[in-house]
Amino acid sequence: MYTEYQPSYLLAPYIDNYWEFKGKPEYGMRIHILPDGCTDFIFTLGDVVSTVKEETLVMQPYSAYFVGPMTKYSELVTYAESVHQFGVRFLPCGLSCFTKLPLHEFANHRISTNEMQAVFDITFIERLCEQNHVQGRIQVVEEYLLTYLAHNYQPVDSQVAVTVDMINQSGGKRTVRSLMNEVCLCQRHFERKFKYYTGFTPKEYSRIVKFRNAVELLRNTTSVNLLTTAIDAGYYDLAHFSKEIKSLSGNTPSSFLSLTVPEDRTLTYIEP
């Protein structure tokens, strides 16, 4: 139902992946979308899943949306007989090479692309709907983004990009102080720049990276010794580890151990 596709090498520095969510889910199936440090453009090519919270924007069929940086999980529920969505997921700092949106203003928000001027215009959904297969949609997106990049490329802030790389490589274990010293910035200026280009403070992004690393360890372990996994992921004790997993995913650590089929890191399926 959910499948990821890798970008071409020319767009790999900016795009994490393309994804398609298509099929006939069980009525009332709940989906937890986990924070991953990325931002997404979502194109609804048919019926869509609904949000659990009424105050959240409800996506409509045959529309386009931007999902900003997430610092917490969101819960969706399927009431449609079938769903079909296509997404373009930008890496942290990746989107800033296309547009200088202040990403912190979009944190934990999903908005219609009609309300913003960024990368994809309001007619782009029509071009995707003309394609019968996902490969065709990916080709349309890649051609569009490469042309867009050729005319609108904006270099990424080098200090922010270096910091993102250091956090990723350390699995979120580096202290904010050590990151500041590495890029030679004062705390206020450092956090302001990092939030503008990624949507997160350095501490928030480190927390998400550590969480992602922990989930990956859980999904690939055959041991039920959660304390060992917690220590390997950089948590001090099992209580803190369990609290973080619950806070950012809505599930317990052991729930990830029970997964028997490959799942994307951003989706956790919960039985209704």
Side-chain angles (χ1 to χ4, degrees):
M1 181 178 290
Y2 177 88
T3 310
E4 289 185 351
Y5 304 88
Q6 295 304 304
S8 66
Y9 75 95
L10 291 174
L11 288 170
Y14 319 103
I15 304 294
D16 183 50
N17 60 63
Y18 308 109
W19 55 266
E20 185 176 55
F21 183 43
K22 181 180 181 181
K24 297 182 178 181
E26 294 182 14
Y27 183 86
M29 183 181 75
R30 293 175 182 268
I31 303 169
H32 283 192
I33 303 180
L34 312 185
D36 61 1
C38 298
T39 54
D40 288 66
F41 283 92
I42 299 178
F43 304 92
T44 58
L45 307 178
D47 289 334
V48 298
V49 293
S50 301
T51 54
V52 171
K53 295 183 179 180
E54 294 181 358
E55 68 271 20
T56 306
L57 173 69
V58 177
M59 292 188 291
Q60 301 297 324
Y62 309 106
S63 303
Y65 300 89
F66 175 68
V67 180
M70 296 170 56
T71 60
K72 55 187 179 181
Y73 76 91
S74 62
E75 187 175 36
L76 307 178
V77 62
T78 58
Y79 292 131
E81 291 186 0
S82 64
V83 296
H84 192 186
Q85 299 177 340
F86 176 80
V88 181
R89 180 169 297 143
F90 282 84
L91 289 163
C93 295
L95 187 57
S96 66
C97 294
F98 293 80
T99 177
K100 292 306 180 193
L101 280 176
L103 286 180
H104 62 283
E105 295 182 3
F106 299 91
N108 298 311
H109 288 293
R110 181 188 295 109
I111 66 170
S112 169
T113 55
N114 294 339
E115 302 176 15
M116 61 189 297
Q117 298 293 324
V119 188
F120 297 103
D121 59 38
I122 60 176
T123 65
F124 195 77
I125 183 67
E126 299 175 6
R127 299 169 63 178
L128 293 181
C129 288
E130 292 172 355
Q131 303 298 316
N132 295 323
H133 304 287
V134 66
Q135 289 79 10
R137 286 186 281 275
I138 291 174
Q139 182 177 350
V140 167
V141 170
E142 294 237 325
E143 291 176 352
Y144 177 84
L145 288 179
L146 288 172
T147 300
Y148 191 98
L149 201 60
H151 294 90
N152 300 280
Y153 174 75
Q154 303 181 59
V156 65
D157 183 278
S158 59
Q159 290 173 311
V160 175
V162 166
T163 304
V164 168
D165 285 341
M166 287 191 294
I167 293 174
N168 290 341
Q169 290 173 11
S170 71
K173 299 176 185 177
R174 289 282 297 265
T175 65
V176 174
R177 175 62 61 183
S178 71
L179 295 170
M180 288 167 45
N181 293 337
E182 194 80 27
V183 296
C184 302
L185 287 173
C186 68
Q187 183 172 355
R188 184 177 180 181
H189 189 42
F190 178 51
E191 292 193 351
R192 182 182 62 81
K193 288 182 67 173
F194 199 88
K195 283 182 66 175
Y196 184 92
Y197 289 104
T198 70
F200 307 97
T201 66
K203 184 176 181 179
E204 288 173 336
Y205 184 69
S206 295
R207 182 189 181 200
I208 290 169
V209 171
K210 183 185 288 189
F211 161 75
R212 283 175 50 189
N213 184 47
V215 169
E216 192 67 22
L217 288 172
L218 287 169
R219 287 177 170 172
N220 288 282
T221 186
T222 57
S223 171
V224 294
N225 188 345
L226 294 179
L227 178 59
T228 299
T229 303
I231 298 301
D232 290 343
Y235 295 92
Y236 295 112
D237 54 54
L238 186 56
H240 183 212
F241 176 66
S242 298
K243 183 178 179 180
E244 279 290 275
I245 297 298
K246 181 69 174 180
S247 175
L248 290 173
S249 73
N251 290 318
T252 62
S254 59
S255 68
F256 291 97
L257 291 172
S258 64
L259 293 176
T260 58
V261 294
E263 300 281 3
D264 169 61
R265 68 172 182 272
T266 62
L267 293 176
T268 299
Y269 292 90
I270 303 175
E271 295 298 326

